[in-house]
Structure formats: structure tokens, C-alpha cells
Amino acid sequence: MRIILLLFLAVFSFSYCIEADYEAKYGWFGTIATAQGRLEKNETYYKITANVKTKGIASTFSGHLQQTYISEGIIKNGRFVPLKYIMNIKRKGNNYLRIYLFDHKNKIIIKKRYKNGKLTKEYKYYYTPDDILTLYWNLPLYLSKEKKELYTFYAIGGRKKDGRIDVTFPTKEEVKKLRKKLFNKKGIYIKANLYNKVFAGDKGILYLVINPQNWVTLSGMVKNVMKIGDLRGKVINIKEKD
């Protein structure tokens, strides 16, 4: 169910906040999840939060799955630099917590695993400059540096062995075919290869439509999930304040 999060995209006093609510539908099951994304930042610090909650039959099958993802860090030269990335997953009465601590100077990430509040493992993880949340919000900066057909990034949340994520822009013909499935949203169309087959039948390929003004995801899709239908999500509410 982690892919649902990717459809949507504090201790400091933040001067800017943007928040978006989403719903995700899957084939003939209808709405299977809701999500909320939130970005808070000032000139120095940021906090990104994403909450995902399953609904209906998906909630029953997943053990009432709830997920919270948090990235906290600093802003340097306009780039979000993560210092801590947190995954908190609740299902079947258990609480699974994963904390990633970034040491960018020494290119080290320490991963801590908890179950129901108890530390079960702590070890050195492979290094990446981003987590999946900062990578998303850093994309405007990364994509503006050089025009290419294929962009390769590395972030916690990408390919399991090294965090690889590939990003491309669909062709005009692809966009025409995708537009209806992506709720006819207007914006920047992006195709991301996450290298993670989260469900049987899918290839870990994610399509997003992004508002170029505030970089909020307007809609997204993973095609042919479990060979039943497309997993599709769209924004239902956006709040922005300075």
C-alpha cells in the first residue's frame, strides 16, 4: 500500500504552509484510501508530512492500515536537505516505526527499526541525498539544471538496494492517452520508475500531473495493479497560506 502515498505528494515557526487532501480509487473497488500532504517551511527549515489511511474493503484486507511519513531538515540554496526521515506504519494492532538519520558530510544514513515502541535493529543504510518526500519537492530545482530525456535520482523510498528512481516526461501522444485516466487534469505530466513492484502485476511505474505554480500533485496513477485495474488518485482540496 506504500504506493498510495506517492500518488499524492514542528518544532519550528514556519512562515509558509501548503496542505492538500486526496482520495485514491482502485478498479471496481471504488475509494480505497484517503491521504493528506503538508509542507511547512521558512527560510531555514522545513517539515513535510504525508498521512495515508485505507478505507472500506482495502482497510479490512490490510488490517486497517495507516501510514505516516515525515521528513524534517534544512533548506540550503533553495534545496530541501533531509536530516531525518520517518515512516510510521500501523496495521493489525501493531506499530512499525522506521527512522533514517542523515549524515551528509560523511555520506552515512543510520536506520532504526522499532516494533510497538521497542528498538529491534539499528544499522548503517546505503546513502542517498534525498528521501522520497524531499526528492519530490526538489524536482523543480533538479529538472531545471539540465534538459534530458531521462533523469536518475537516488532517494530513500526508491529501489530497495540503492534508492534509484528514474523520471521522464511522457510524449504528447502518451499524454493524450493518459489525460482521461488522470481526470483530465492540466499540468506537468511526469512518469517515474520506482523499481518497486508494490502489487502483483504492476511494474512500479507512477504517473503524476503536477501544478507548475505550487508543485502540488493534482492526480496520479499506477497502471494495471494486480491485473484488475488502475490505482488512481486525485486532489480534492488545497489550502495554501503564508
Side-chain angles (χ1 to χ4, degrees):
M1 303 299 287
R2 182 174 58 183
I3 199 72
I4 298 173
L5 165 70
L6 300 173
L7 289 172
F8 316 122
L9 54 128
V11 294
F12 305 109
S13 176
F14 294 98
S15 60
Y16 173 83
C17 176
I18 188 165
E19 189 174 274
D21 299 309
Y22 299 85
E23 64 178 10
K25 296 185 177 183
Y26 173 42
W28 45 266
F29 290 105
T31 300
I32 64 167
T34 57
Q36 182 183 74
R38 183 181 180 91
L39 166 65
E40 302 165 282
K41 67 174 183 174
N42 57 24
E43 293 182 356
T44 309
Y45 302 101
Y46 79 87
K47 181 178 181 180
I48 308 168
T49 306
N51 295 297
V52 181
K53 185 177 181 180
T54 52
K55 296 185 65 177
I57 192 170
S59 180
T60 302
F61 286 159
S62 66
H64 306 288
L65 176 66
Q66 296 183 47
Q67 301 168 95
T68 299
Y69 299 81
I70 300 172
S71 177
E72 296 181 74
I74 62 174
I75 299 175
K76 188 174 182 179
N77 297 324
R79 175 176 167 261
F80 294 96
V81 181
L83 300 179
K84 181 192 296 185
Y85 179 62
I86 299 171
M87 297 191 302
N88 192 4
I89 301 172
K90 297 179 181 179
R91 63 171 179 262
K92 297 181 180 179
N94 291 309
N95 189 349
Y96 302 91
L97 181 65
R98 306 289 184 262
I99 299 176
Y100 300 81
L101 302 175
F102 290 74
D103 179 350
H104 294 286
K105 182 178 180 180
N106 296 303
K107 294 189 175 182
I108 294 173
I109 293 178
I110 300 298
K111 180 177 180 180
K112 297 184 178 182
R113 299 165 59 102
Y114 295 83
K115 182 177 180 181
N116 299 327
K118 182 180 179 181
L119 179 64
T120 59
K121 192 174 183 180
E122 179 177 338
Y123 55 101
K124 186 183 293 187
Y125 206 59
Y126 61 77
Y127 174 77
T128 66
D130 283 292
D131 57 57
I132 194 69
L133 297 178
T134 58
L135 174 60
Y136 175 85
W137 288 101
N138 283 330
L139 276 179
L141 179 64
Y142 295 159
L143 297 178
S144 67
K145 291 182 176 180
E146 183 181 359
K147 300 298 181 182
K148 299 187 293 186
E149 291 186 3
L150 172 66
Y151 296 83
T152 296
F153 306 104
Y154 294 88
I156 301 298
R159 188 163 63 182
K160 291 182 179 180
K161 68 177 183 179
D162 58 7
R164 179 173 175 171
I165 296 173
D166 288 340
V167 174
T168 58
F169 293 96
T171 65
K172 290 182 178 180
E173 291 301 316
E174 287 181 290
V175 170
K176 286 181 180 179
K177 295 178 181 178
L178 291 168
R179 192 178 296 278
K180 187 175 181 180
K181 290 190 174 184
L182 288 167
F183 305 98
N184 292 308
K185 297 291 187 180
K186 295 181 180 179
I188 299 173
Y189 280 65
I190 283 180
K191 179 180 178 181
N193 187 347
L194 307 174
Y195 292 97
N196 280 330
K197 289 186 64 175
V198 181
F199 300 102
D202 83 82
K203 299 180 180 179
I205 303 297
L206 172 69
Y207 295 91
L208 297 176
V209 183
I210 299 172
N211 183 337
Q213 302 302 317
N214 55 20
W215 208 251
V216 170
T217 294
L218 301 175
S219 61
M221 176 178 64
V222 179
K223 296 187 68 175
N224 196 30
V225 174
M226 296 180 70
K227 300 182 179 180
I228 295 177
D230 300 329
L231 175 62
R232 303 188 300 152
K234 65 178 181 179
V235 68
I236 56 177
N237 184 46
I238 300 175
K239 299 176 184 178
E240 188 172 5
K241 60 182 180 181
D242 292 319

